[in-house]
Amino acid sequence: MPRAWRKTWVEGRSWGKGELYETLCLLIIGAGCYLIGSVLGIFEVAIAFSLRHGLLDLVMLAGCMGVALSGAIIRKSLTLRRTMLERDAAATQAEAIARHDALTGLTNRRHFVEAVESARRRMGEGERAAVFLIDLDRFKPVNDLYGHAAGNAVLCSVADRLGALLPAGGMAARLGGDEFALLAPFTGSIENIKRLAQQVIASLTAPIAWNDGEVKIGATVGIALVTAEHDADALLHAADLAMYQGKREGRGTFRVFEDAMDTELRERAALEAELREAVENGEIEPFYQPVVALPGRDCVGFEVLARWRHPTRGLLGPDQFIAIAEETGLIADLSYRLLQQACRDAVSWPPHLQLAVNIAPQQFQDRGLAQRILGILAETGFSPSRLEVEITESALVQDLEAARTTLTSLQNLGVRIALDDFGTGYSSLYHLRELKFDKLKIDRSYVDTITLSEERAKLVDAIISLGRSLGLVTTAEGIETDASVDWLSGQGCDFGQGYLFGKPMPKPEIDALLAAAPAARVAIPALAGPAEPIPAHPARASFAEANPAPASPAPASPAKTRAPSIPDHAIIRYGRVRAA
């Protein structure tokens, strides 16, 4: 119980000033009655009358009973007084509890909103104030790793640090969970508020002692200036928008609310509603980008990429809606629908062509993922051996055991597993060893710069060598130049993918190309490059000259899995024209 509440409670249970004052009043009234009776001779007349009629004993009896009754009345009065004080103390305590956070002692949302409304009413007097909304970064891992006791200690420490930074006349509040707020009066320019925000972030970023160790968190702050035109709820909403803008831009920073943020939020809300409807109506469709074997550039399959034919925005790429689908929980439904449609599309394609699909990290929390995929394969008649599931490295961090169970179940069905965007996340040799992947996909950010940076080229070479040593095949994403193909082939990379071999295309275009494949033994113009020409970088040619590809690819080690053989009549070749 906070000290202020305990003090009120104790005062309610002790002999207070009210009881003493009441007792003194009663004594004064009794003394006044005695003086009046003595001066006026009332006592003498009463005594004489009692003696004359033999009523003295009755008078004495009445006097004693009166004293006893007076005592009872006084006692009852004191008891009632104490009861009233205890009730008032309990009401005060309840009011304090209703207006304060029980853990940190800070004011709660209700009290904070009242304080903001009060600040709004004072705006006409020339006072200025700002509302800070503070959301803790990396707080959930504290609870997960160290327990809720550590989480509570962190919250109390945050409350103490905010209280130490609070300007005169300000207020700190815990709105709930790991979300805090400040009401900060200020003078001068908005720069004073920005400096306070920087101090808050710096203070909350400092380590917090816990069990002979340290816990580190961070904070992202959103700021809204108090105005007479907007009520407290609107100001908190504005600060919340600014805070989420900071979250999207990298966390550990602050943002001041601007009207454009509200417009952006409304547009995002509209896009979320449209996306939900699009998923339900099947408006998200699969496009297919070729994956080729190196160095021969023979097509071995396609990667499934989502495209949204928006009625007003046109064809949207995954970067414009997949993040929203993940945040709103639509990603699972969207992924299953895409997989189902892709399997239906590809079931009639030549049987050597593989189909690679991406699985979102959130889907690995579903223990029935393998069964869902198996059900889709059985429904569409698509062979599990032709399916390749790609996962990102972030899925491994969220729940390694869930990932292990799901991947093992899929591999037991014959589905291949690829680790996507390798080199950009949190993977370790432990993950590669424990989860037994079939393929590594080298992220395009490395591939795009191998002809520009010797350091990046060495990293890519190391990844290829790592894959070879673990018996994994490798695929390089984002290939755009012949020089990259030559270099990757020389290093022993198995597969390639990128605009050099073909842009993502809808099913009708793929069907047309496959139908023409037996007659097209050389290059296929539609897939020979990107939709728009890619400008050559001056450093690429110099790198290719300085690092010529070997006359023949280096032989792979016995443990390395090579690209599957392809029937000659079904070969589609990409890029440069090759001799028959």
Side-chain angles (χ1 to χ4, degrees), residues 342-351 353 380-382 386 507 511 514:
C343 290
R344 287 173 179 167
D345 292 345
V347 70
S348 61
W349 295 347
L353 293 178
T380 59
F382 193 77
R386 295 179 59 191
K507 179 181 183 295
D511 288 340
L514 293 176

Side-chain angles (χ1 to χ4, degrees), residues 6 21 243 362 469 504 525:
R6 188 181 301 112
Y21 176 78
M243 184 269 294
Q362 294 89 331
S469 66

Side-chain angles (χ1 to χ4, degrees), residues 201-267:
I201 294 172
S203 176
L204 299 186
T205 304
I208 298 172
W210 171 254
N211 282 354
D212 300 326
E214 292 182 344
V215 174
K216 293 184 179 181
I217 59 170
T220 303
V221 180
I223 306 172
L225 299 182
V226 177
T227 61
E229 294 79 18
H230 299 93
D231 60 18
D233 289 335
L235 291 169
L236 282 172
H237 178 67
D240 189 60
L241 292 180
M243 184 269 294
Y244 274 105
Q245 181 71 23
K247 290 274 190 184
R248 288 193 294 270
E249 295 178 3
R251 301 175 182 265
T253 185
F254 70 90
R255 290 292 179 269
V256 181
F257 173 76
E258 300 173 356
D259 291 337
M261 295 180 183
D262 188 49
T263 302
E264 179 182 347
L265 181 70
R266 294 179 186 276
E267 292 178 353

Side-chain angles (χ1 to χ4, degrees), residues 538-570:
R540 297 183 190 271
S542 61
F543 182 91
E545 294 171 0
N547 300 272
S552 60
S557 64
K560 186 177 180 183
T561 305
R562 301 305 300 173
S565 60
I566 304 169
D568 187 66
H569 72 276

Side-chain angles (χ1 to χ4, degrees), residues 51-75:
L51 291 174
R52 186 178 307 114
H53 296 86
L55 300 176
L56 183 60
D57 291 339
L58 292 176
V59 171
M60 295 298 295
L61 176 61
C64 291
M65 293 178 65
V67 171
L69 182 60
S70 298
I73 293 173
I74 292 173
R75 182 177 181 280

